[in-house]
């Protein structure tokens, strides 16, 4: 059976990466707004999860946010646009780590299910 | 392949981590914030994006204005409109947004967020979390089971002596009373469970006091504690019992001392009849015996078989000058007691000294006797021989 709560949060974790990558290649302000909104939602969805890697997942999401928020300011203020793009790339790396952790967690869960 | 862990002798029980329980309560609060915050972020992003698309402007000043417009709309403040030009389309969007987005993002999102904080008494959770964090560091403490008049008196004395203790109380409704009484560490749980005793650090504790009104409950606690700490010398269990028979059973099951309140009180009354109390002497002795005074105490020091004090006279060891404590009695190896020994009394092997004095002096006295323990007697003899030859 599919757990819809998990679909919901996984959806946003992956979407955070894809929208971020979209911004890196398009340099488009609309895409940036989508990216930061989705990243913030992905962070909030990780609040209070009591899984094995919950702390690590939350940490990576916070890293991505702390890259994207200054990136947004720099981008819309019109100065240092290359730096804004650089920060977005940093956020994308954090997003990739987040997805790797997600996969690791899925494997752990699968294993612990087997034991019982 | 998993390694087989060594199962401890008391069974494979995991201690309850009280600190983690309260940490989890804090996470639960965060968990409740997920969807309210998500809706707020979602509608804010959506509104900014749509305003950007409608006005076809994506420069910094305009985006900031659209963000401002969204926030003042959602928060029902509404200072001014955040857009210029294309007024009718913008107003149409704003109306639609207020009809759809406002109830969800404001009434659900923001109000639920505030509600979570209002209803979750974070202060209380933090207080307990901090207490258990400190409790997990305790070593050499005592565990006291049940909050009642007997243990209250015990705790009062322990507090005066600055001895740490953890109270286990099965009844949560006594929380207010316990807090008022000023207990530093307490848990509300069933004391006869192994995981609870392990959770309050029985493995590092010095002893346990159990004082239920019912013998069966006391026995359950004694047996559980003795199961985890089988060594009677290193873990001291004191209990109360309602009759002598139960007291005997408890001793056989592992209690070091069992007090039957009715018997103790009866004897006390009889002793008052036999020895009419002198206000100064009996109170003084009582206070020493029951540890009510903090400036004087009495301890027993066993003379180690390797001590170089054996065979020496009391006046020659100069203990009183060095430590300030006084030897008030000597108990010989055969159990005979010599009260108020003179300076010419010789210390023999197997003796125990009763030493009276200020607690600090007593600590010095303990050090004094420890210093006089010689690791190897033969070595000492050799040294003496060398000295004699010189």
């Amino acid at each position: 059976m599919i757990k819809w709560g998990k679909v919901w949060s996984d959806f946003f974790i992956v979407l955070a990466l894809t929208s971020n990558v979209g911004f890196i290649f398009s340099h488009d302000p609309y895409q940036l707004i989508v990216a930061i909104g989705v990243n913030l939602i992905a962070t909030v969805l990780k609040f209070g999860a009591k899984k094995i890697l919950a702390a690590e997942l939350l940490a990576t999401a916070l890293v991505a946010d702390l890259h994207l928020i200054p990136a947004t300011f720099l981008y819309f203020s019109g100065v240092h646009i290359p730096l804004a793009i650089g920060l977005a790339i940093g956020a994308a790396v954090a997003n990739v780590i987040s997805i790797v952790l997600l996969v690791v967690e899925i494997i752990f869960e699968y294993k612990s299910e087997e034991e019982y | 392949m998993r390694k087989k862990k060594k199962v401890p002798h008391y069974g494979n029980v995991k201690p309850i981590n009280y600190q983690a329980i309260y940490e989890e309560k804090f996470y639960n609060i965060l968990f409740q914030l997920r969807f309210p915050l998500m809706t707020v972020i979602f509608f804010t992003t959506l509104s900014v994006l749509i305003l950007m698309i409608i006005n076809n402007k994506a420069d910094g000043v305009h985006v900031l204005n659209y963000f401002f417009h969204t926030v003042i709309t959602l928060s029902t403040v509404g200072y001014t409109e955040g857009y210029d030009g294309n007024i009718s389309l913008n107003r149409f969007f704003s109306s639609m947004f207020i009809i759809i987005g406002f109830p969800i993002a404001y009434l659900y999102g923001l109000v639920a967020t505030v509600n979570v904080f209002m209803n979750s008494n974070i202060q209380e959770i933090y207080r307990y979390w901090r207490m258990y964090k400190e409790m997990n560091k305790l070593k050499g403490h005592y565990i006291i089971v049940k909050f009642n008049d007997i243990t209250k008196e015990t705790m009062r004395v322990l507090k005066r002596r600055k001895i740490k203790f953890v109270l286990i109380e099965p009844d949560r409704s006594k929380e207010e009373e316990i807090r008022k009484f000023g207990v530093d560490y307490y848990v509300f749980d069933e004391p006869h469970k192994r995981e609870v005793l392990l959770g309050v650090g029985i493995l590092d504790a010095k002893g346990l006091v159990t004082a239920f009104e019912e013998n069966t409950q006391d026995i359950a606690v004694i047996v559980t504690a003795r199961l985890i700490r089988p060594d009677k010398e290193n873990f001291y269990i004191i209990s109360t019992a309602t009759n002598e028979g139960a007291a005997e059973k408890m001793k056989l099951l592992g209690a070091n001392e069992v007090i039957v309140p009715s018997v103790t009180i009866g004897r006390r009354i009889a002793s008052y009849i036999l020895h009419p109390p002198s206000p100064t002497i009996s109170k003084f002795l009582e206070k020493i015996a029951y540890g009510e005074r903090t400036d004087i105490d009495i301890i027993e020091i066993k003379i180690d078989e390797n001590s170089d004090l054996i065979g020496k006279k009391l006046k020659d060891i100069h203990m009183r000058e060095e430590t300030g404590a006084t030897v008030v009695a000597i108990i010989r190896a055969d159990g005979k007691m010599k009260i108020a020994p003179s300076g010419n009394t010789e210390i023999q092997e197997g003796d125990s000294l009763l030493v009276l004095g200020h607690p600090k002096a007593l600590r010095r006295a303990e050090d004094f006797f420890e210093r006089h323990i010689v690791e190897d007697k033969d070595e000492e003899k050799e040294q003496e021989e060398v000295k004699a030859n010189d």
Side-chain angles (χ1 to χ4, degrees), chain B residues 226-250:
Chain B
R226 204 39 98 197
L227 206 61
I228 302 171
R229 295 286 301 265
D231 191 357
K232 257 190 166 183
E233 293 278 306
N234 291 327
F235 190 76
Y236 210 72
I237 299 179
I238 306 160
S239 172
T240 61
T242 52
N243 56 60
E244 296 271 25
E248 204 184 316
K249 250 185 278 175
M250 285 179 196

Side-chain angles (χ1 to χ4, degrees), chain B residues 276-288 293:
Chain B
S278 137
T280 42
I281 295 173
S282 71
K283 269 205 179 146
F284 174 73
L285 290 175
E286 213 170 84
K287 279 186 171 170
I288 295 169
R293 285 180 72 118

Side-chain angles (χ1 to χ4, degrees), chain B residues 134-326:
Chain B
E134 290 296 311
M135 188 181 86
N136 287 343
K137 289 181 201 155
L138 285 184
K139 278 199 165 67
H141 57 288
Y142 283 83
I143 298 166
I144 292 179
V145 175
K146 187 86 184 155
F147 183 74
N148 54 27
D149 290 339
I150 295 173
T151 51
K152 258 189 199 168
E153 205 52 47
T154 313
M155 287 188 278
R156 226 170 257 147
V157 177
L158 290 185
K159 252 165 55 180
R160 218 172 297 149
R161 286 295 177 97
K162 296 199 168 55
I163 295 169
K164 298 277 179 211
F165 55 88
V166 179
L167 175 70
I168 306 177
E169 166 63 51
D171 185 4
R172 221 196 156 99
S173 64
K174 288 192 180 170
E175 189 177 351
E176 193 79 61
E177 223 180 313
I178 290 172
R179 198 177 302 168
K180 264 189 195 154
F181 184 75
V183 182
D184 289 342
Y185 310 103
Y186 50 91
V187 298
F188 297 100
D189 226 323
E190 299 294 335
H192 55 78
K193 287 183 180 160
R194 280 172 291 180
E195 58 262 38
V196 174
L197 288 177
L198 287 168
V200 299
I202 191 172
L203 291 174
D204 295 315
K206 247 188 190 166
L208 180 140
V209 177
T210 165
F212 276 104
E213 284 80 13
E214 232 184 286
N215 292 330
T216 47
Q217 284 173 302
D218 277 329
I219 288 175
V221 176
I222 293 168
V223 171
T224 317
R226 204 39 98 197
L227 206 61
I228 302 171
R229 295 286 301 265
D231 191 357
K232 257 190 166 183
E233 293 278 306
N234 291 327
F235 190 76
Y236 210 72
I237 299 179
I238 306 160
S239 172
T240 61
T242 52
N243 56 60
E244 296 271 25
E248 204 184 316
K249 250 185 278 175
M250 285 179 196
K251 274 196 175 169
L252 289 171
L253 284 171
N256 295 65
E257 292 294 339
V258 182
I259 294 157
V260 186
S262 55
V263 174
T264 311
I265 296 166
R267 279 189 195 149
R268 200 76 187 269
I269 292 171
S271 79
Y272 278 136
I273 295 169
L274 295 174
H275 312 282
S278 137
T280 42
I281 295 173
S282 71
K283 269 205 179 146
F284 174 73
L285 290 175
E286 213 170 84
K287 279 186 171 170
I288 295 169
Y290 299 112
E292 284 168 23
R293 285 180 72 118
T294 51
D295 58 344
I296 194 156
D297 203 355
I298 191 162
I299 54 163
E300 182 183 344
I301 294 175
K302 221 171 153 41
I303 299 291
D304 196 273
E305 55 180 74
N306 290 329
S307 178
D308 62 358
L309 297 173
I310 293 169
K312 283 190 181 160
K313 286 179 180 170
L314 272 183
K315 64 177 178 189
D316 294 333
I317 66 173
H318 304 296
M319 190 198 85
R320 197 183 311 178
E321 288 90 70
E322 261 190 54
T323 66
T326 313

